[in-house]
Amino acid sequence: MGQKFYNEADVQAIAAAIRAKNGTQNTYTVSQMPAAIAAITTGVPAETLVYAQRNAAAGAFVDEVTYDPADYSVSRIAAYVGASGNDKPLGGTFSAPENGRVILLDSGRCAVLTVSAGNNTLYNITPNTTGAFVFLTQDDRIGAVGTLRPNGALRMLKLNDASNVRDLGGWACDGGTVRYGKLFRGSRLFISGSVNAYDKTVLHDLLGIQHELDLRYANELERDFSLIGSDVDWTHIDGAWYAIRDSAKCRAILECVFDCVLNGIPLYFHCAGGADRTGTLSMWLEALLGVSQSDIDKDYELTSFFSGVATDAQARRRNESEWQGLITAFRDYPGDTIRDRVFAWTVTLGIPVATINAFRAAMINGTPQALVNPYGTVAVNKIFAHITIDNAAQSTEMYQPYTATLSADSGYSLAGASVAVTMGGVDVTADCYQNGVIHIEQVTGALIITATAVTQYTNQILYGTDTIGGTALYNGTGYKQGYRWTSSNTEDNGEISGIPNKFAVGYIKVEPGDVVHLYGDIWKGTSGGISMHVQNATDTRLVRASLANWSGGYTARSDIMAYMSDIDYDDTTKTLRSFRWTGGTSAVTGYMHWTFVGVFDAHQTVLTINEEM
């Protein structure tokens, strides 16, 4: 629930008064109160205020003008707007007998406004609905009640310190009309302290705005939070000024809008004056909803009721180069209408078609058709060995996300598996694959996924762990590059002449009689070697095994030979492939760690306990 700037006691007082008038014990939600108030006919003055939530000139412009989308040489806005403009709507006026408060009720929301004795004008109720108002005197008596019925589709909004503000709703579109109360556009906000309490109340309580999208540039910002309320989220993204080529920015802006709409969060988006960057985003959204190109142009030109048309810099006309450039930019995309072309562009941003259709369904009061990806699909070919995939589709849509999870068959493992993903013939594995999951943000070509699992050992030790210390050694990675364990059981990261590489691996617990198998091309070269240390948790005695190639072959320390067997060393390739260590009855219970010096690829080693490989 959003923060309430009004007093809950005011709402409860209205409910009690309604019950007193109609002689019932009914309880009322805020959304039920307008009808109940309208039914009160005795005891207090009651009136119905019918008015337009727009001014006469703006209403005439919207009603009388229709533009030809094939002809951008014409603009008719100057015939309806004066030099300075007027962006404030009409309202419904009632007379307050004294100072007090008015409680406005609209679409399940409630706002409390301070009023003075005499005539007061009420604004901002949703067009073509029935709202209500209740006047409370200073001693909390109900002094007047009434209903509010704005007409006309255009919803211009009255604020004291913000301009060019209107609901995006009301326009005819695919399958119906754009819903009111979802998206609001306008200028930056100047809200501070009690002077602008009216604006806060309208935006937060009556309109229910819970997210502010600020499209101004970073050097224009004077804050990094929303002035509408402490519970209102604020997002800043530099707006697009009549441009669509910055795909990352455009996608981020649209994703913010879609996320709000699909989660039922009313959004206020704005730049500085609510004209250019705000007009650009409004155009994208209206086109996606199927608003006609003529009406999109008119909504853009409505800004002139704020700016005036005294100069070209002030006016916002459809026949000016900036607006024509924005419209023209979409001609590079497939489709016969502005809706189809803007939809095709949005798909190329990587936004899922399902998300766009969900946005349309949530924003349209009616039944819009489901739009289909105009770019079709590409093949997904899979070449697997001992691998299964949870996404069995043999094709995927262009420019859309692709996600799949790989699983190794029984007896096999993804650890050490060979996985490759190409898209349009380009290897994208490093960008899209990790830990068995393939995720491609935007498919731009045919996919080929190749994966081969490796044999899974039941007791395989994937990573060394520091059992003695109680935490994962080396932050759980198991190997530490550039280090070795010395014969005195200490780490050493110093240079060793002629030895190109070294790794140290963490502790592995071993018991007397355990057989530890070590496998992999773990050492290759003409110098270096591998050593093993076993340390008791309470006894610092070492049992050290060493295999080295200091003189063209391997050597093994005689004091540990009794515990080592099955040594596989290829003297021709100078490669140590495997060996095993057996803890005899005289061996200590302890913790084994390894040093690989001059290794070929220590990360590919496989260690098992008591399991043949």
Side-chain angles (χ1 to χ4, degrees):
M1 292 292 292
Q3 174 186 349
K4 295 178 180 178
F5 291 111
Y6 62 84
N7 188 342
E8 180 68 23
D10 291 333
V11 178
Q12 297 303 324
I14 298 172
I18 294 172
R19 288 190 289 270
K21 292 296 182 182
N22 61 25
T24 71
Q25 296 301 313
N26 295 341
T27 59
Y28 299 98
T29 64
V30 172
S31 60
Q32 293 171 330
M33 286 182 178
I37 291 169
I40 297 175
T41 57
T42 60
V44 294
E47 54 187 318
T48 297
L49 305 180
V50 179
Y51 62 97
Q53 192 55 44
R54 61 184 191 176
N55 63 48
F61 168 69
V62 170
D63 294 343
E64 295 171 5
V65 172
T66 300
Y67 285 126
D68 179 358
D71 180 7
Y72 270 86
S73 66
V74 176
S75 171
R76 297 178 60 189
I77 187 65
Y80 295 86
V81 176
S84 59
N86 174 19
D87 69 333
K88 302 307 179 187
L90 301 176
T93 301
F94 85 103
S95 180
E98 59 182 275
N99 294 342
R101 301 183 307 283
V102 164
I103 300 178
L104 291 180
L105 301 161
D106 176 39
S107 303
R109 296 193 175 97
C110 171
V112 180
L113 305 174
T114 301
V115 296
S116 302
N119 287 339
N120 290 268
T121 303
L122 305 178
Y123 303 93
N124 303 322
I125 301 300
T126 304
N128 302 309
T129 64
T130 298
F133 74 93
V134 177
F135 171 72
L136 293 178
T137 64
Q138 295 182 74
D139 58 357
D140 287 338
R141 291 178 294 105
I142 296 181
V145 297
T147 56
L148 301 164
R149 295 179 182 173
N151 54 36
L154 179 62
R155 188 186 190 186
M156 302 172 74
L157 294 164
K158 165 67 167 60
L159 295 175
N160 289 332
D161 292 316
S163 304
N164 200 20
V165 182
R166 53 189 182 270
D167 194 323
L168 213 67
W171 297 100
C173 62
D174 283 352
T177 57
V178 180
R179 291 184 186 273
Y180 294 107
K182 301 285 189 180
L183 297 172
F184 302 89
R185 55 169 293 173
S187 73
R188 60 184 172 180
L189 302 172
F190 299 91
I191 301 176
S192 59
S194 60
V195 175
N196 299 289
Y198 173 85
D199 286 7
K200 276 190 172 184
T201 300
V202 170
L203 291 166
H204 187 287
D205 295 344
L206 190 63
L207 304 183
I209 291 168
Q210 288 290 289
H211 200 121
E212 177 185 349
L213 173 58
D214 196 329
L215 300 173
R216 293 177 294 169
Y217 299 146
N219 62 2
E220 299 176 85
L221 302 179
E222 72 286 334
R223 56 186 171 87
D224 60 0
F225 59 91
S226 178
L227 294 169
I228 299 172
S230 60
D231 62 338
V232 176
D233 293 325
W234 178 83
T235 297
H236 169 248
I237 305 171
D238 282 358
W241 194 293
Y242 303 106
I244 63 173
R245 295 304 182 189
D246 189 335
S247 296
K249 177 192 295 185
C250 295
R251 174 171 176 161
I253 291 171
L254 287 171
E255 285 180 333
C256 180
V257 175
F258 293 167
D259 182 68
C260 286
V261 170
L262 296 183
N263 286 283
I265 299 172
L267 172 73
Y268 180 72
F269 63 93
H270 67 90
C271 50
D276 305 299
R277 289 161 289 188
T278 299
T280 298
L281 175 55
S282 297
M283 181 266 175
W284 299 346
L285 300 174
E286 289 164 349
L288 287 174
L289 296 173
V291 176
S292 72
Q293 195 165 332
S294 174
D295 284 347
I296 292 172
D297 291 342
K298 288 190 292 185
D299 187 40
Y300 171 68
E301 290 191 325
L302 281 170
T303 287
S304 293
F305 284 94
F306 151 65
S307 63
V309 293
T311 66
D312 284 342
Q314 288 177 299
R316 296 299 185 275
R317 301 187 183 97
R318 71 186 290 272
N319 61 348
E320 293 177 328
S321 60
E322 293 90 349
W323 186 252
Q324 289 186 58
L326 177 61
I327 298 297
T328 301
F330 289 104
R331 293 178 183 170
D332 294 336
Y333 296 88
D336 297 327
T337 65
I338 192 67
R339 182 206 69 184
D340 293 341
R341 292 190 288 270
V342 174
F343 169 64
W345 166 74
T346 307
V347 170
T348 67
L349 300 179
I351 295 177
V353 170
T355 299
I356 301 171
N357 280 322
F359 165 74
R360 284 164 48 82
M363 280 297 301
I364 295 175
N365 187 16
T367 307
Q369 69 180 98
L371 303 182
V372 178
N373 189 335
Y375 298 101
T377 62
V378 293
V380 179
N381 293 313
K382 311 176 191 75
I383 305 169
F384 292 157
H386 311 298
I387 293 281
T388 57
I389 188 170
D390 68 345
N391 188 339
Q394 296 181 339
S395 63
T396 189
E397 292 188 53
M398 275 287 284
Y399 297 111
Q400 299 295 281
Y402 177 86
T403 300
T405 300
L406 305 181
S407 302
D409 295 344
S410 178
Y412 293 87
S413 173
L414 284 178
S418 172
V419 178
V421 182
T422 64
M423 181 166 63
V426 177
D427 189 337
V428 295
T429 311
D431 296 325
C432 72
Y433 175 75
Q434 187 174 14
N435 299 327
V437 177
I438 299 170
H439 179 72
I440 300 172
E441 283 290 331
Q442 191 175 7
V443 173
T444 57
L447 300 179
I448 300 176
I449 305 171
T450 305
T452 301
V454 298
T455 303
Q456 172 69 60
Y457 297 101
T458 305
N459 293 321
Q460 183 174 354
I461 303 166
L462 297 179
Y463 301 110
T465 56
D466 186 356
T467 309
I468 292 179
T471 59
L473 189 67
Y474 306 142
N475 297 318
T477 62
Y479 293 90
K480 191 170 184 179
Q481 187 169 354
Y483 281 77
R484 67 173 181 139
W485 290 96
T486 68
S487 58
S488 59
N489 204 36
T490 59
E491 281 189 350
D492 171 35
N493 66 343
E495 292 296 324
I496 303 175
S497 177
I499 299 177
N501 207 352
K502 51 186 179 293
F503 290 84
V505 65
Y507 289 105
I508 302 166
K509 187 174 183 180
V510 289
E511 301 285 354
D514 281 347
V515 178
V516 178
H517 301 265
L518 184 69
Y519 179 80
D521 286 343
I522 54 179
W523 176 70
K524 184 175 183 179
T526 58
S527 62
I530 178 169
S531 60
M532 175 199 67
H533 306 259
V534 178
Q535 179 183 9
N536 186 282
T538 59
D539 187 341
T540 59
R541 289 180 301 165
L542 298 177
V543 180
R544 180 172 180 269
S546 180
L547 290 168
N549 187 12
W550 306 115
S551 57
Y554 82 85
T555 60
R557 285 172 54 109
S558 59
D559 60 350
I560 202 64
M561 283 295 292
Y563 303 119
M564 301 183 67
S565 61
D566 297 339
I567 299 171
D568 180 2
Y569 175 81
D570 188 323
D571 190 59
T572 301
T573 61
K574 311 302 182 186
T575 300
L576 175 65
R577 293 193 180 93
S578 65
F579 67 90
R580 67 176 181 170
W581 179 87
T582 304
T585 57
S586 61
V588 297
T589 298
Y591 304 88
M592 178 188 299
H593 57 75
W594 307 89
T595 293
F596 307 93
V597 181
V599 294
F600 178 56
D601 191 354
H603 288 94
Q604 298 302 316
T605 58
V606 177
L607 296 95
T608 66
I609 295 182
N610 301 326
E611 183 178 8
E612 294 288 347
M613 287 187 286

